[in-house]
Amino acid sequence: MDLDLSAPHSTGTTIIGVTYNGGVVLGADSRTSTGMYVANRASDKITELTDNVYVCRSGSAADTQVISDYVRYFLHQHTIQLGQPATVKVAANLVRLLSYQNKNMLQAGVIVGGWDKYEGGQIYSVPLGGTILRQPFSIGGSGSSYLYGFFDQAWKEDMTHEEAEQLVVKAASLAMARDGASGGVVRTVTINAEGVTRKFYGGDTLPLWHDELEPTNSLLDLLSSSVPEPMST
Amino acid sequence: MSSIGTGYDLSVTTFSPDGRVFQIEYAAKAVDNSGTVIGIKCKDGIVLGVEKLISSKMMLAGSNRRIHSVHRHSGLAVAGLAADGRQIVARAKSEATNYEKTYGEPIPVKELADRVASYVHLCTLYWWLRPFGCGVILGGYDRDGPQLYMVEPSGISYRYFGAAMGKGRQAAKTEIEKLKLSEMTCREGVIEVAKIIYGVHDEAKDKAFELELSWVCDESNRQHQKVPDDLLNEAITAAKAALEEMDAD
């Protein structure tokens, strides 16, 4: 079990994007790994592109950060030119153009989500090759493998905001329990007509699943109650 | 308001002492001498109409189109030098395609108008280019509803409820102002435009003309297209009847 500290930072990750009646909820775990080492246990994988469009990043951390920076820059100019906020579709398209045209060099799977006045809440999936696909909900990252069946059963159209938020948090925590490359805390971002709301769910607020142990105090505490005998010779 | 700008009118990069660029004003004259072009914004779409003066009896009807589709959702009607107009249409088409390739959605009409206006203006900035001798009326229907823009040879572009260029523009504007556009559908608008064009056509000065009409509205599924033949004929009949009524007075 060798710690390869020069391995590229990867957002091993679980990312989720879900539409609900009135907007979208984006969710992600917070683990950034360098090989086996957790480089950042509290990272923020949900990045702002514009006031009304955010992106969940998975794959190479560097690649997704650079793509986000470029798209933020292009969208800023586009907004000035247009005189009104950019649509989610445009943001997603710019992401996929970069992803597709540089597919040989990039490892980036992202979920673009946001709200605009024409189409309301929308989720666009842009996986590794640069496909763009609009979906009512989307999952990505290494942890998503464990969520396909879960969403098949738990997803429904036209949820309320509370239902959608709880679904995202539950799903993320399930994936984090099984996927070694996902973990830490759950962050969510809600985007709707009123604006953007960020929420944080620490480890102690997340439910425990099968075979996960309750947190307990260290057993060494039992020893410290009696004065330790000095060692003889 | 026309004056000879002797000495200050040889180049588009020369201002006159009273702050005018004469070459641009001369370019506008080319537009003023062409057949009338009208655009109106009805409550459910746009209607564009052109008085296409026929120079020769040998010309095939329907040829030498003055109204062009730039994109699925918008069309351009050209007044002035036709060849210059073709260039503007080509540029507009290319802008629309590039926008959609980059941004993944059809170009908003406002953006298209901005780009056409910038392009026309560009050609007024260099001495080795001449200004376009044509003006265009751009009508389109996008997510923000139907919109009508007019671009002049100077590069000025405004958004309008009703616009007219060419010989009969003054008379046409007066007629358009009488219409209640916000309550009119495009179907009714087509008839009105035909009446106006027939009305402003000068029988004495010009000979025959062909009426070209196009629309983009809810009825055409928000696609820019030639007005269907049956409606076109209906419009022409109504326009001719209206003329007779006027003459009968």
Side-chain angles (χ1 to χ4, degrees), chain B residues 3-242:
Chain B
S3 55
I4 307 176
T6 323
Y8 301 109
D9 60 348
L10 297 175
S11 159
V12 78
T13 53
T14 308
F15 277 97
S16 74
D18 52 348
R20 298 155 70 175
V21 183
F22 280 101
Q23 278 297 312
I24 298 181
E25 297 190 17
Y26 296 161
K29 294 236 177 66
V31 178
D32 292 344
N33 289 335
S34 98
T36 316
V37 173
I38 302 179
I40 57 170
K41 168 171 135 51
C42 307
K43 72 176 178 194
D44 65 337
I46 306 282
V47 179
L48 299 173
V50 176
E51 174 203 11
K52 195 168 72 183
L53 299 168
I54 299 179
S55 47
S56 153
K57 288 209 181 91
M58 304 289 250
M59 235 171 69
L60 202 62
S63 67
N64 253 32
R65 289 198 62 78
R66 298 275 293 280
I67 305 184
H68 303 90
S69 279
V70 164
H71 197 60
R72 264 166 272 124
H73 61 40
S74 40
L76 219 54
V78 176
L81 301 177
D84 286 14
R86 232 186 352 259
Q87 199 58 9
I88 296 190
V89 170
R91 179 76 187 208
K93 284 179 178 170
S94 146
E95 293 280 4
T97 315
N98 281 334
Y99 183 97
E100 187 152 0
K101 271 213 186 112
T102 308
Y103 296 107
E105 53 176 29
I107 185 169
V109 185
K110 172 174 183 286
E111 185 64 22
L112 181 60
D114 272 351
R115 293 192 182 198
V116 170
S118 293
Y119 182 59
V120 169
H121 177 241
L122 186 75
C123 299
T124 66
L125 293 173
Y126 301 101
W127 62 265
W128 37 266
L129 280 177
R130 67 162 173 80
F132 279 103
C134 62
V136 298
I137 299 189
L138 165 66
Y141 198 153
D142 65 18
R143 280 192 306 206
D144 296 314
Q147 293 153 69
L148 184 69
Y149 292 88
M150 182 161 86
V151 183
E152 300 168 22
S154 56
I156 288 181
S157 157
Y158 288 122
R159 191 171 160 187
Y160 292 90
F161 293 111
M165 320 179 100
K167 282 191 204 181
R169 71 187 175 287
Q170 297 289 34
K173 278 189 207 156
T174 322
E175 290 303 308
I176 292 176
E177 280 167 25
K178 291 184 190 158
L179 300 172
K180 284 228 176 78
L181 290 171
S182 53
E183 293 162 21
M184 199 182 282
T185 64
C186 273
R187 195 155 258 276
E188 295 161 354
V190 165
I191 315 279
E192 294 302 325
V193 168
K195 283 189 195 161
I196 295 175
I197 291 189
Y198 268 81
V200 305
H201 174 69
D202 192 334
E203 278 296 335
K205 288 219 190 108
D206 307 309
K207 288 146 241 166
F209 80 99
E210 193 188 321
L211 173 66
E212 230 180 272
L213 280 174
S214 81
W215 66 359
V216 53
C217 55
D218 291 334
E219 212 184 305
S220 76
N221 244 324
R222 303 197 184 183
Q223 295 251 50
H224 178 254
Q225 50 179 225
K226 268 167 55 173
V227 162
D229 284 333
D230 53 331
L231 183 56
L232 180 63
N233 291 329
E234 199 187 310
I236 294 178
T237 322
K240 287 190 176 150

Side-chain angles (χ1 to χ4, degrees), chain A residues 15-121:
Chain A
I15 50 174
I16 303 169
V18 143
T19 58
Y20 71 92
N21 179 14
V24 299
V25 177
L26 302 176
D29 75 307
S30 69
R31 179 170 293 181
T32 306
S33 36
T34 321
M36 286 289 109
Y37 174 68
V38 176
N40 187 346
R41 61 185 168 98
S43 35
D44 181 8
K45 301 181 186 178
I46 310 179
T47 304
E48 177 187 321
L49 294 180
T50 70
D51 288 342
N52 56 317
V53 181
Y54 278 65
V55 60
C56 297
R57 305 179 290 109
S58 81
S60 152
D63 289 353
T64 56
Q65 282 175 8
V66 160
I67 291 176
S68 303
D69 286 347
Y70 269 117
V71 174
R72 192 177 309 120
Y73 169 63
F74 293 143
L75 281 174
H76 184 217
Q77 293 188 317
H78 181 64
T79 303
I80 292 173
Q81 176 86 344
L82 225 54
Q84 59 185 39
T87 60
V88 188
K89 187 173 193 184
V90 165
N93 202 56
L94 290 173
V95 171
R96 75 96 178 206
L97 283 179
L98 281 172
S99 208
Y100 178 74
Q101 286 166 6
N102 297 291
K103 60 162 76 195
N104 294 328
M105 294 187 281
L106 295 173
Q107 245 181 35
V110 305
I111 298 179
V112 180
W115 184 95
D116 62 52
K117 69 180 186 204
Y118 298 110
E119 300 274 325

Side-chain angles (χ1 to χ4, degrees), chain A residues 113-134:
Chain A
W115 184 95
D116 62 52
K117 69 180 186 204
Y118 298 110
E119 300 274 325
Q122 301 146 69
I123 294 285
Y124 292 87
S125 190
V126 183
L128 245 41
T131 325
I132 180 172
L133 185 60
R134 182 177 174 187

Side-chain angles (χ1 to χ4, degrees), chain A residues 185-209:
Chain A
V185 304
V186 176
R187 296 188 196 274
T188 65
V189 171
T190 301
I191 312 173
N192 53 29
E194 281 82 61
V196 175
T197 317
R198 268 193 180 275
K199 284 230 175 69
F200 168 86
Y201 297 84
D204 52 350
T205 66
L206 297 173
L208 289 169
W209 304 112

